[in-house]
Amino acid sequence: MDLLTMLNAFFSKSSELINTTLVYSTALIFGALGGIFSERSGVVNIGIEGLMVSGAFASAVGAYYAEEANMGIWSPWIGLLTAMVFALIFALIHAVATITFKANQVISGVVINFLAAGVTLYLVKVLFNGAGQTETLNDVFSKWEIPLLSKIPYIGPAFFNAYPTTYIALILVAVTYYVLFKTPFGLRLRSVGEHPSAADTVGIKVKRIRYIAVLISGMLGGLGGATITLTTTSAFSHNTISGQGFIAMAAMIFGKWHPVGALGAAVFFGMAQALNNFMRLFDFSKDIPQEFLYMLPYVLTILVLAGAVGRAKAPSALGEPYDPGKR
């Protein structure tokens, strides 16, 4: 094999790895952005996992019934909308518990995770005659090629031949940055996460802002779960998410509660998952137990959190219920 052929093979495989990385990163980006909105307002959201589970379930059900109604290519889009609405319900529960009733935010998030897992599994069995998963979808998202750009050698197949949800996630990173740092609403949201008492004294409705932030978090978390169902698995079961919500939280913390930082961290964790598939293409991977390859993203999550938590500065009022009587 000559040098040119080897280089061509290397760049082709690298392009494939980057493209697969984007596939696995997309759900993490949605989840991390959702966490940023909630935690920048001062509300801890351990429930990202549960929000993604609810979104994955609702997207599968919504898309399935849209298929039954012969809605064709619109079915996955209906699934996305259904996911946002269903996850919004769980986010509302979290918001009411933590903001109105001042419940412990970590415990409330854990409850959301368990509640989402139990409710979705129960509904799957009710809606699909006792089955352990939803029906496999026929109409799911396919990759979109961006004209001209997708034809650029190596770069085109890597970056410009992706699922529509990936493009949406990348656009939302820019939108989130703009909203948080360039708009009055973003300034208010960050202020209630840093010093809610001071924000209250200048007329900012702390509870209202936190409610909005948590509900946005729910919709984005739902989109993250829906992305997995509508691009990768084509169905929902109890292990569809498998800890992706916790990895999204790790991306949020590693990215220091900043949308661009969270994007970079999500891509990092997404590549760890993509390597699982990529390494199977090589003969040496046969000597590596598959369990180790599956463990890779989760081990990296633990290592990154262990190294990042001490250096990452969370919003000052994160986890503290706001009491107007205390100044």
Side-chain angles (χ1 to χ4, degrees):
M1 182 179 294
D2 58 32
L3 180 60
L4 184 60
T5 303
M6 291 178 61
L7 287 174
N8 183 63
F10 172 77
F11 284 118
S12 295
K13 294 298 183 183
S14 298
S15 178
E16 180 182 339
L17 175 61
I18 292 171
N19 190 262
T20 306
T21 296
L22 290 177
V23 172
Y24 286 111
S25 300
T26 301
L28 302 181
I29 294 171
F30 281 123
L33 292 179
I36 288 172
F37 271 102
S38 179
E39 301 209 350
R40 277 282 187 171
S41 75
V43 180
V44 175
N45 200 344
I46 299 292
I48 294 295
E49 174 82 3
L51 297 175
M52 292 181 69
V53 169
S54 63
F57 161 79
S59 64
V61 173
Y64 170 75
Y65 284 109
E67 285 183 0
E68 292 289 293
N70 297 316
M71 300 190 70
I73 61 173
W74 293 105
S75 298
W77 296 103
I78 298 297
L80 279 184
L81 292 175
T82 308
M84 293 172 65
V85 173
F86 194 64
L88 193 68
I89 297 172
F90 287 89
L92 181 60
I93 294 172
H94 183 56
V96 170
T98 58
I99 300 171
T100 299
F101 295 105
K102 300 181 177 61
N104 183 288
Q105 295 174 5
V106 174
I107 293 176
S108 176
V110 172
V111 169
I112 291 298
N113 290 335
F114 282 112
L115 183 65
V119 168
T120 54
L121 182 59
Y122 171 75
L123 291 177
V124 166
K125 292 185 176 298
V126 169
L127 296 174
F128 297 94
N129 300 316
Q133 67 175 44
T134 62
E135 296 287 344
T136 301
L137 299 172
N138 296 314
D139 295 309
V140 293
F141 288 119
S142 57
K143 291 184 176 181
W144 288 2
E145 290 187 3
I146 296 181
L148 300 180
L149 294 178
S150 62
K151 303 302 181 183
I152 300 174
Y154 308 119
I155 296 176
F159 294 101
F160 302 111
N161 181 27
Y163 291 109
T165 48
T166 300
Y167 299 128
I168 293 172
L170 295 176
I171 291 170
L172 283 178
V173 171
V175 171
T176 299
Y177 173 82
Y178 180 80
V179 168
L180 287 179
F181 299 103
K182 303 295 182 180
T183 66
F185 171 77
L187 178 61
R188 295 188 185 102
L189 187 147
R190 288 183 289 120
S191 68
V192 302
E194 294 291 343
H195 204 308
S197 296
D200 194 9
T201 59
V202 296
I204 296 174
K205 304 296 184 182
V206 176
K207 290 186 177 181
R208 179 187 300 174
I209 294 293
R210 286 186 170 182
Y211 258 97
I212 293 172
V214 174
L215 294 180
I216 292 174
S217 176
M219 290 188 290
L220 290 172
L223 285 177
T227 294
I228 296 175
T229 298
L230 298 173
T231 62
T232 307
T233 64
S234 300
F236 171 81
S237 66
H238 71 280
N239 62 352
T240 296
I241 300 303
S242 297
Q244 297 295 297
F246 297 114
I247 297 178
M249 284 195 63
M252 174 193 67
I253 296 171
F254 189 35
K256 298 182 178 180
W257 290 270
H258 192 285
V260 177
L263 168 64
V267 170
F268 172 76
F269 290 126
M271 180 169 287
Q273 296 182 66
L275 283 172
N276 180 22
N277 294 334
F278 188 70
M279 290 179 67
R280 296 181 192 181
L281 301 175
F282 301 95
D283 292 334
F284 70 82
S285 66
K286 297 177 182 178
D287 299 324
I288 302 175
Q290 291 298 306
E291 290 79 7
F292 284 96
L293 296 178
Y294 285 119
M295 285 168 53
L296 181 61
Y298 304 100
V299 171
L300 284 177
T301 301
I302 295 172
L303 293 176
V304 166
L305 281 179
V309 167
R311 294 190 296 271
K313 185 180 182 302
S316 300
L318 182 62
E320 300 178 5
Y322 176 58
D323 186 353
K326 294 181 180 180
R327 296 293 180 180

